[in-house]
């Protein structure tokens, strides 16, 4: 029967998704453990530092990722898409809380003293600046952040249409997060931040590959 023929493929796709999620969790836990062990060895960042700016802006970025994951959870009937959305909600929610904790430990305000993205205009260590720094100006929208209209489009959708919108938005969202993580890696020697940002790049690159394949399968 047709359902029986499709079942092994579905199980295969789910197994791949679970493997990617487990990899992301392992990378994230490792980075968190290293960060906790090395906190005392790192100097405290100041409020206008790249570390503090990254912590504040990436919280906002991750919080929207959580929102996108919750939206697709309630709109998709696809097990693989719902599982991916759940993983994004839990992972990015935890990481957002972790960055909130950094600012508390550093004795810094959660509220930014300057416009968002300002830290990305600071000089970097690669040829004096991060490759993408010139594309960002203080106060600009964060890279990959979905617009109000895009969020409304996902909110109004359901089923396969919602899956396509979610995957498209989340691929761009992850690409933006990687841009931010690479920018802070070019601007910090803080071992906690470096471990975290390295984990973000690795895990989100893996999820982008998966989501690109999922989107192609639902075209």
């Amino acid at each position: 029967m047709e359902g029986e023929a499709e079942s092994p493929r579905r199980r295969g796709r789910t197994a791949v998704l679970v493997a990617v999620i487990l990899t992301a969790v392992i990378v994230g836990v490792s980075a968190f453990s290293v960060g906790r062990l090395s906190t005392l060895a790192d100097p405290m960042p100041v409020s206008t530092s790249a570390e503090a700016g990254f912590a504040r802006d990436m919280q906002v970025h991750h919080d929207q990722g959580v929102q996108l994951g919750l939206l697709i959870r309630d709109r998709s009937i696809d097990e693989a898409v719902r599982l991916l959305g759940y993983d994004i909600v839990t992972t990015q929610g935890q990481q957002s809380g972790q960055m909130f904790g950094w600012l508390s430990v550093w004795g810094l305000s959660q509220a930014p003293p300057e416009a968002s993205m300002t830290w990305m205009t600071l000089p970097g260590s690669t040829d004096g600046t991060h490759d993408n720094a010139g594309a960002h100006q203080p106060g600009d929208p964060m890279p990959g952040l979905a617009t109000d209209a895009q969020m409304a489009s996902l909110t109004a959708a359901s089923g396969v249409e919602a899956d396509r919108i979610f995957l498209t938005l989340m691929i761009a969202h992850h690409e933006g997060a990687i841009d931010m993580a690479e920018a802070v890696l070019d601007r910090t020697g803080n071992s906690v931040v470096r471990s975290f940002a390295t984990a973000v790049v690795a895990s989100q690159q893996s999820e982008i590959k998966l989501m690109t394949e999922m989107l192609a399968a639902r075209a």
Side-chain angles (χ1 to χ4, degrees):
M1 296 176 61
E2 183 179 352
E4 293 175 348
E6 291 182 350
S7 181
R9 291 198 295 271
R10 176 177 295 179
R11 288 198 298 270
R13 289 195 299 269
T14 302
V16 170
L17 177 59
V18 170
V20 170
I21 289 171
L22 287 175
T23 299
V25 169
I26 290 169
V27 170
V29 169
S30 298
F32 179 64
S33 299
V34 170
R36 291 184 63 187
L37 292 173
S38 59
T39 298
L40 296 178
D42 292 312
M44 294 292 186
V46 299
S47 193
T48 55
S49 66
E51 295 88 353
F54 172 78
R56 294 184 184 106
D57 284 354
M58 191 60 94
Q59 279 187 71
V60 174
H61 206 274
H62 271 21
D63 288 347
Q64 189 187 73
V66 171
Q67 186 180 2
L68 287 165
L70 290 172
L71 284 171
I72 198 60
R73 181 200 63 181
D74 296 335
R75 285 158 178 78
S76 179
I77 58 173
D78 188 306
E79 178 185 358
V81 175
R82 286 172 57 84
L83 179 59
L84 176 64
Y86 176 78
D87 174 65
I88 288 170
V89 168
T90 54
T91 301
Q92 297 202 7
Q94 183 273 329
Q95 290 179 345
S96 183
Q98 188 175 339
M99 289 180 284
F100 184 98
W102 291 351
L103 292 166
S104 296
V105 169
W106 296 338
L108 302 178
S109 171
Q110 300 293 332
E114 53 194 5
S116 65
M117 307 301 296
T118 300
W119 66 274
M120 286 188 73
T121 67
L122 296 173
S125 61
T126 305
D127 296 328
T129 186
H130 178 63
D131 289 344
N132 294 324
H136 303 300
Q137 297 297 323
D140 279 355
M142 294 168 209
L145 211 62
T147 65
D148 290 343
Q150 289 171 326
M151 295 296 289
S153 178
L154 177 58
T155 300
S158 61
V160 177
E161 180 189 6
D163 295 341
R164 294 190 191 109
I165 295 171
F166 169 75
L167 291 167
T168 300
L169 293 179
M170 192 55 71
I171 288 169
H173 202 267
H174 274 23
E175 289 171 344
I178 290 171
D179 190 10
M180 294 169 70
E182 289 179 338
V184 80
L185 283 170
D186 200 39
R187 290 166 170 76
T188 184
N190 184 289
S191 58
V192 177
V193 178
R194 291 193 65 83
S195 295
F196 178 93
T198 299
V200 167
V201 171
S203 62
Q204 299 209 4
Q205 283 178 338
S206 179
E207 286 189 350
I208 286 171
K209 182 177 183 297
L210 172 68
M211 289 188 292
T212 299
E213 294 171 353
M214 292 173 71
L215 182 59
R218 291 159 178 79

